[in-house]
Amino acid sequence: LHQQAEQTCRQLGRTQKEHEHLLQAAVEQAEGLEHSLRSAEAVLAERAAQLRDAQAQLSRNKLLMEDLRGENRRFAMALQASELKQKSTEEKNQLLEEQASALKQLIGKITPASLIG
């Protein structure tokens, strides 16, 4: 019995040491996983901040695009008004040129007759 008790005690000691090694390995693995988790959380937090910044930039860009579209519409309307004014001016110039030509012809007809008369 004494011998069996010593053998059981030694077996328990070996089992206890194995369990301590397994427990130590599990603790080290858990610490490694915890470190990995903290690193992943830090990366995710950084990416989330980058995404928030990108979202804010997109919102600003969207507002700028809307402003530019409004400005573009105003420029288009101003250009259209300018083109209409130019067309009107060209038509007036054409009319004035025709009147000037008619006056020159009239003067050309009147001048020789007055010189002869």
PDB file of all heavy atoms in Angstrom, residues 48-65:
ATOM      1  N   ALA A  48     -12.140  53.236 -38.688  1.00  0.00           N
ATOM      2  CA  ALA A  48     -13.430  53.897 -38.480  1.00  0.00           C
ATOM      3  C   ALA A  48     -13.255  55.410 -38.524  1.00  0.00           C
ATOM      4  O   ALA A  48     -14.069  56.122 -39.121  1.00  0.00           O
ATOM      5  CB  ALA A  48     -14.045  53.465 -37.140  1.00  0.00           C
ATOM      6  N   ALA A  49     -12.165  55.909 -37.917  1.00  0.00           N
ATOM      7  CA  ALA A  49     -11.895  57.353 -37.962  1.00  0.00           C
ATOM      8  C   ALA A  49     -11.643  57.794 -39.405  1.00  0.00           C
ATOM      9  O   ALA A  49     -12.123  58.848 -39.834  1.00  0.00           O
ATOM     10  CB  ALA A  49     -10.695  57.686 -37.075  1.00  0.00           C
ATOM     11  N   GLN A  50     -10.892  56.987 -40.152  1.00  0.00           N
ATOM     12  CA  GLN A  50     -10.638  57.316 -41.553  1.00  0.00           C
ATOM     13  C   GLN A  50     -11.934  57.337 -42.346  1.00  0.00           C
ATOM     14  O   GLN A  50     -12.153  58.224 -43.182  1.00  0.00           O
ATOM     15  CB  GLN A  50      -9.668  56.304 -42.172  1.00  0.00           C
ATOM     16  CG  GLN A  50      -8.249  56.412 -41.665  1.00  0.00           C
ATOM     17  CD  GLN A  50      -7.364  55.286 -42.166  1.00  0.00           C
ATOM     18  OE1 GLN A  50      -7.833  54.304 -42.742  1.00  0.00           O
ATOM     19  NE2 GLN A  50      -6.067  55.407 -41.930  1.00  0.00           N
ATOM     20  N   LEU A  51     -12.814  56.371 -42.078  1.00  0.00           N
ATOM     21  CA  LEU A  51     -14.097  56.331 -42.782  1.00  0.00           C
ATOM     22  C   LEU A  51     -14.962  57.537 -42.416  1.00  0.00           C
ATOM     23  O   LEU A  51     -15.628  58.104 -43.278  1.00  0.00           O
ATOM     24  CB  LEU A  51     -14.841  55.035 -42.460  1.00  0.00           C
ATOM     25  CG  LEU A  51     -14.284  53.774 -43.133  1.00  0.00           C
ATOM     26  CD1 LEU A  51     -15.001  52.532 -42.616  1.00  0.00           C
ATOM     27  CD2 LEU A  51     -14.399  53.852 -44.640  1.00  0.00           C
ATOM     28  N   ARG A  52     -14.936  57.940 -41.142  1.00  0.00           N
ATOM     29  CA  ARG A  52     -15.696  59.136 -40.748  1.00  0.00           C
ATOM     30  C   ARG A  52     -15.148  60.369 -41.455  1.00  0.00           C
ATOM     31  O   ARG A  52     -15.918  61.208 -41.934  1.00  0.00           O
ATOM     32  CB  ARG A  52     -15.655  59.321 -39.226  1.00  0.00           C
ATOM     33  CG  ARG A  52     -16.584  58.384 -38.480  1.00  0.00           C
ATOM     34  CD  ARG A  52     -16.696  58.772 -37.011  1.00  0.00           C
ATOM     35  NE  ARG A  52     -15.428  58.676 -36.293  1.00  0.00           N
ATOM     36  CZ  ARG A  52     -14.966  57.581 -35.718  1.00  0.00           C
ATOM     37  NH1 ARG A  52     -15.668  56.463 -35.759  1.00  0.00           N
ATOM     38  NH2 ARG A  52     -13.817  57.599 -35.080  1.00  0.00           N
ATOM     39  N   ASP A  53     -13.819  60.465 -41.536  1.00  0.00           N
ATOM     40  CA  ASP A  53     -13.210  61.596 -42.250  1.00  0.00           C
ATOM     41  C   ASP A  53     -13.596  61.577 -43.730  1.00  0.00           C
ATOM     42  O   ASP A  53     -13.915  62.618 -44.310  1.00  0.00           O
ATOM     43  CB  ASP A  53     -11.679  61.563 -42.122  1.00  0.00           C
ATOM     44  CG  ASP A  53     -11.205  61.862 -40.715  1.00  0.00           C
ATOM     45  OD1 ASP A  53     -12.019  62.349 -39.893  1.00  0.00           O
ATOM     46  OD2 ASP A  53     -10.017  61.603 -40.415  1.00  0.00           O
ATOM     47  N   ALA A  54     -13.564  60.387 -44.323  1.00  0.00           N
ATOM     48  CA  ALA A  54     -13.925  60.258 -45.747  1.00  0.00           C
ATOM     49  C   ALA A  54     -15.394  60.623 -45.947  1.00  0.00           C
ATOM     50  O   ALA A  54     -15.749  61.292 -46.920  1.00  0.00           O
ATOM     51  CB  ALA A  54     -13.651  58.836 -46.239  1.00  0.00           C
ATOM     52  N   GLN A  55     -16.250  60.195 -45.015  1.00  0.00           N
ATOM     53  CA  GLN A  55     -17.677  60.517 -45.107  1.00  0.00           C
ATOM     54  C   GLN A  55     -17.878  62.025 -45.013  1.00  0.00           C
ATOM     55  O   GLN A  55     -18.667  62.604 -45.764  1.00  0.00           O
ATOM     56  CB  GLN A  55     -18.439  59.803 -43.977  1.00  0.00           C
ATOM     57  CG  GLN A  55     -19.926  60.040 -44.003  1.00  0.00           C
ATOM     58  CD  GLN A  55     -20.610  59.321 -45.138  1.00  0.00           C
ATOM     59  OE1 GLN A  55     -20.170  58.256 -45.540  1.00  0.00           O
ATOM     60  NE2 GLN A  55     -21.677  59.875 -45.653  1.00  0.00           N
ATOM     61  N   ALA A  56     -17.171  62.665 -44.090  1.00  0.00           N
ATOM     62  CA  ALA A  56     -17.278  64.120 -43.948  1.00  0.00           C
ATOM     63  C   ALA A  56     -16.803  64.812 -45.220  1.00  0.00           C
ATOM     64  O   ALA A  56     -17.423  65.774 -45.698  1.00  0.00           O
ATOM     65  CB  ALA A  56     -16.467  64.593 -42.735  1.00  0.00           C
ATOM     66  N   GLN A  57     -15.699  64.326 -45.801  1.00  0.00           N
ATOM     67  CA  GLN A  57     -15.181  64.910 -47.038  1.00  0.00           C
ATOM     68  C   GLN A  57     -16.183  64.731 -48.165  1.00  0.00           C
ATOM     69  O   GLN A  57     -16.406  65.641 -48.967  1.00  0.00           O
ATOM     70  CB  GLN A  57     -13.836  64.263 -47.414  1.00  0.00           C
ATOM     71  CG  GLN A  57     -13.175  64.879 -48.628  1.00  0.00           C
ATOM     72  CD  GLN A  57     -12.790  66.332 -48.423  1.00  0.00           C
ATOM     73  OE1 GLN A  57     -12.295  66.704 -47.365  1.00  0.00           O
ATOM     74  NE2 GLN A  57     -13.032  67.166 -49.408  1.00  0.00           N
ATOM     75  N   LEU A  58     -16.801  63.543 -48.240  1.00  0.00           N
ATOM     76  CA  LEU A  58     -17.818  63.305 -49.268  1.00  0.00           C
ATOM     77  C   LEU A  58     -19.000  64.255 -49.104  1.00  0.00           C
ATOM     78  O   LEU A  58     -19.521  64.774 -50.091  1.00  0.00           O
ATOM     79  CB  LEU A  58     -18.307  61.857 -49.203  1.00  0.00           C
ATOM     80  CG  LEU A  58     -17.363  60.809 -49.795  1.00  0.00           C
ATOM     81  CD1 LEU A  58     -17.891  59.401 -49.504  1.00  0.00           C
ATOM     82  CD2 LEU A  58     -17.171  60.996 -51.274  1.00  0.00           C
ATOM     83  N   SER A  59     -19.397  64.488 -47.864  1.00  0.00           N
ATOM     84  CA  SER A  59     -20.506  65.422 -47.625  1.00  0.00           C
ATOM     85  C   SER A  59     -20.127  66.830 -48.077  1.00  0.00           C
ATOM     86  O   SER A  59     -20.934  67.518 -48.713  1.00  0.00           O
ATOM     87  CB  SER A  59     -20.871  65.436 -46.139  1.00  0.00           C
ATOM     88  OG  SER A  59     -21.376  64.177 -45.744  1.00  0.00           O
ATOM     89  N   ARG A  60     -18.896  67.241 -47.745  1.00  0.00           N
ATOM     90  CA  ARG A  60     -18.442  68.567 -48.184  1.00  0.00           C
ATOM     91  C   ARG A  60     -18.392  68.636 -49.706  1.00  0.00           C
ATOM     92  O   ARG A  60     -18.810  69.633 -50.312  1.00  0.00           O
ATOM     93  CB  ARG A  60     -17.070  68.891 -47.582  1.00  0.00           C
ATOM     94  CG  ARG A  60     -17.118  69.212 -46.095  1.00  0.00           C
ATOM     95  CD  ARG A  60     -15.788  69.749 -45.594  1.00  0.00           C
ATOM     96  NE  ARG A  60     -14.711  68.804 -45.685  1.00  0.00           N
ATOM     97  CZ  ARG A  60     -14.379  67.919 -44.746  1.00  0.00           C
ATOM     98  NH1 ARG A  60     -15.070  67.858 -43.621  1.00  0.00           N
ATOM     99  NH2 ARG A  60     -13.366  67.097 -44.908  1.00  0.00           N
ATOM    100  N   ASN A  61     -17.883  67.569 -50.331  1.00  0.00           N
ATOM    101  CA  ASN A  61     -17.801  67.543 -51.795  1.00  0.00           C
ATOM    102  C   ASN A  61     -19.191  67.603 -52.421  1.00  0.00           C
ATOM    103  O   ASN A  61     -19.387  68.257 -53.446  1.00  0.00           O
ATOM    104  CB  ASN A  61     -17.067  66.289 -52.268  1.00  0.00           C
ATOM    105  CG  ASN A  61     -15.580  66.359 -51.994  1.00  0.00           C
ATOM    106  OD1 ASN A  61     -15.050  67.402 -51.653  1.00  0.00           O
ATOM    107  ND2 ASN A  61     -14.913  65.235 -52.114  1.00  0.00           N
ATOM    108  N   LYS A  62     -20.153  66.911 -51.799  1.00  0.00           N
ATOM    109  CA  LYS A  62     -21.515  66.928 -52.320  1.00  0.00           C
ATOM    110  C   LYS A  62     -22.085  68.340 -52.272  1.00  0.00           C
ATOM    111  O   LYS A  62     -22.701  68.808 -53.234  1.00  0.00           O
ATOM    112  CB  LYS A  62     -22.378  65.973 -51.495  1.00  0.00           C
ATOM    113  CG  LYS A  62     -23.760  65.776 -52.035  1.00  0.00           C
ATOM    114  CD  LYS A  62     -24.519  64.742 -51.226  1.00  0.00           C
ATOM    115  CE  LYS A  62     -25.915  64.557 -51.771  1.00  0.00           C
ATOM    116  NZ  LYS A  62     -26.671  63.558 -51.000  1.00  0.00           N
ATOM    117  N   LEU A  63     -21.853  69.044 -51.168  1.00  0.00           N
ATOM    118  CA  LEU A  63     -22.322  70.427 -51.064  1.00  0.00           C
ATOM    119  C   LEU A  63     -21.645  71.318 -52.101  1.00  0.00           C
ATOM    120  O   LEU A  63     -22.290  72.166 -52.726  1.00  0.00           O
ATOM    121  CB  LEU A  63     -22.069  70.970 -49.653  1.00  0.00           C
ATOM    122  CG  LEU A  63     -22.925  70.367 -48.537  1.00  0.00           C
ATOM    123  CD1 LEU A  63     -22.470  70.872 -47.178  1.00  0.00           C
ATOM    124  CD2 LEU A  63     -24.395  70.685 -48.764  1.00  0.00           C
ATOM    125  N   LEU A  64     -20.346  71.117 -52.289  1.00  0.00           N
ATOM    126  CA  LEU A  64     -19.622  71.895 -53.303  1.00  0.00           C
ATOM    127  C   LEU A  64     -20.170  71.614 -54.701  1.00  0.00           C
ATOM    128  O   LEU A  64     -20.317  72.540 -55.507  1.00  0.00           O
ATOM    129  CB  LEU A  64     -18.125  71.567 -53.255  1.00  0.00           C
ATOM    130  CG  LEU A  64     -17.341  72.172 -52.097  1.00  0.00           C
ATOM    131  CD1 LEU A  64     -15.909  71.624 -52.076  1.00  0.00           C
ATOM    132  CD2 LEU A  64     -17.323  73.682 -52.185  1.00  0.00           C
ATOM    133  N   MET A  65     -20.467  70.342 -54.972  1.00  0.00           N
ATOM    134  CA  MET A  65     -21.020  69.989 -56.287  1.00  0.00           C
ATOM    135  C   MET A  65     -22.365  70.684 -56.491  1.00  0.00           C
ATOM    136  O   MET A  65     -22.636  71.199 -57.581  1.00  0.00           O
ATOM    137  CB  MET A  65     -21.200  68.471 -56.397  1.00  0.00           C
ATOM    138  CG  MET A  65     -19.899  67.692 -56.450  1.00  0.00           C
ATOM    139  SD  MET A  65     -19.052  67.872 -58.016  1.00  0.00           S
ATOM    140  CE  MET A  65     -20.087  66.864 -59.042  1.00  0.00           C
TER     141      MET A  65
END
